[in-house]
Amino acid sequence: MKTQLRIAAGQFASAEDWSDNLKTCHQLIDAAAAGGADLLVLPEGSLSLFVDEPARIREAAQPLDGPFVRGLVERTRGSSTTVIAGVHVPEADGRVSNVLVAARDGEIVATYVKLHLYDAFGRRESDNVVPGTNAPVVIDCAGWKVGLMTCYDVRFPELARLLADQGAQVLALPAAWVRGPAKEWHWEVMVTARALENTCYVAASGECGRRNIGASMIVDPLGITRARLGDAPGLLWADADADELAGARRTLPVLDNRRFAVDPRLERHA
């Protein structure tokens, strides 16, 4: 395990054309690798976004061996940077799945299918998206354990705790957090809470643009925001430190002090 994990979070406004988004992802991957990033977190929906016609994501979705993911993965070849990005993948019933792809050195090292769908605030992600049925996913990144979550997942503390139970020291959180009354406050509170209650780092990449707030954040195990972006495209940086993590868990031993376990059984999506 490296003493420090160099983390980058890339923020951009996803366009309808996947090839435009791939070019943007390539630029962010190159910049992260040049800056020595061990981990780069890109937004949910990096493949494509239809602001006013969400059902069109069905026609834009691509399989994991399609040109977008192939182009994303190939850009990591020769690099030790682990890149995590959200894409939509076609499903048999005509809907899609919302998938995080983790890639490193030209290979897909893991995938995670979004468990909690955004059927809230007057929206219904499940009209077009199939919920995941996978167990929580933790990957290795330069010897660190990184747990995978997507956007609305952050409102469900039991998922973050299950990832911590699997050894997660960092939570990677690609998102496309929709604008609305108090929504930016919700985002800040939830991201900070997941870090603080699990004494882990959270690297949250928020898509920006007309629909989404941006506000990418990297938060440390005691709930301090180490870096944050506003609502414009950009790349932010922070280092996770092994001694700092161990010190936080000694000072605030919530994982040892707790009295209840989280039930890992998956409930049916409503």
Side-chain angles (χ1 to χ4, degrees), residues 3-17:
T3 302
Q4 290 191 323
L5 185 78
R6 184 76 165 144
I7 301 172
Q11 176 172 297
F12 67 96
S14 188
E16 294 184 6
D17 187 332

Side-chain angles (χ1 to χ4, degrees), residues 14-247:
S14 188
E16 294 184 6
D17 187 332
W18 67 265
S19 62
D20 290 339
N21 297 326
L22 183 59
K23 292 175 184 175
T24 300
C25 289
H26 282 175
Q27 293 168 357
L28 291 167
I29 291 169
D30 292 349
D38 299 299
L39 174 66
L40 170 64
V41 184
L42 296 175
E44 176 189 22
S46 291
L47 168 66
S48 185
L49 176 70
F50 298 94
V51 175
D52 302 310
E53 301 171 280
R56 289 185 62 197
I57 196 61
R58 296 182 180 219
E59 64 192 61
Q62 296 183 16
L64 292 178
D65 60 356
F68 182 85
V69 173
R70 286 204 316 268
L72 193 75
V73 172
E74 185 59 33
R75 199 67 168 200
T76 69
R77 190 171 300 280
S79 170
S80 61
T81 304
T82 299
V83 177
I84 298 172
V87 301
H88 289 95
V89 175
E91 292 290 343
D93 71 353
R95 293 183 293 171
V96 303
S97 53
N98 190 335
V99 182
L100 294 187
V101 175
R104 182 173 57 242
D105 194 15
E107 303 289 340
I108 295 176
V109 297
T111 58
Y112 161 72
V113 183
K114 186 178 182 182
L115 287 167
H116 300 98
L117 299 185
Y118 184 51
D119 289 358
F121 293 98
R123 296 175 182 265
R124 283 189 52 83
E125 187 177 14
S126 63
D127 286 346
N128 297 299
V129 179
V130 177
T133 57
N134 43 224
V137 176
V138 175
I139 66 171
D140 181 87
C141 179
W144 287 67
K145 298 298 183 183
V146 178
L148 306 186
M149 304 174 69
T150 307
C151 200
Y152 192 54
D153 281 338
V154 78
R155 290 187 182 272
F156 299 87
E158 63 273 16
L159 175 57
R161 180 53 55 86
L162 285 170
L163 292 168
D165 284 346
Q166 292 183 27
Q169 300 153 310
V170 179
L171 300 178
L173 178 65
W177 203 260
V178 179
R179 296 181 184 276
K183 291 293 294 302
E184 189 162 344
W185 175 240
H186 292 185
W187 168 254
E188 184 171 343
V189 168
M190 298 294 177
V191 172
T192 302
R194 299 297 85 84
L196 185 56
E197 71 198 5
N198 294 293
T199 50
C200 63
Y201 293 89
V202 177
S205 172
E207 187 179 326
C208 58
R210 177 161 63 91
R211 190 190 73 163
N212 301 310
I213 67 169
S216 297
M217 304 170 64
I218 301 176
V219 182
D220 75 15
L222 291 179
I224 306 301
T225 300
R226 293 297 183 86
R228 178 168 178 155
L229 293 174
D231 59 2
L235 186 65
L236 78 165
W237 298 84
D239 292 327
D241 185 271
D243 289 339
E244 180 180 67
L245 176 66

Side-chain angles (χ1 to χ4, degrees), residues 243-254:
D243 289 339
E244 180 180 67
L245 176 66
R249 289 183 169 181
R250 284 193 302 270
T251 300
L252 183 64
V254 288

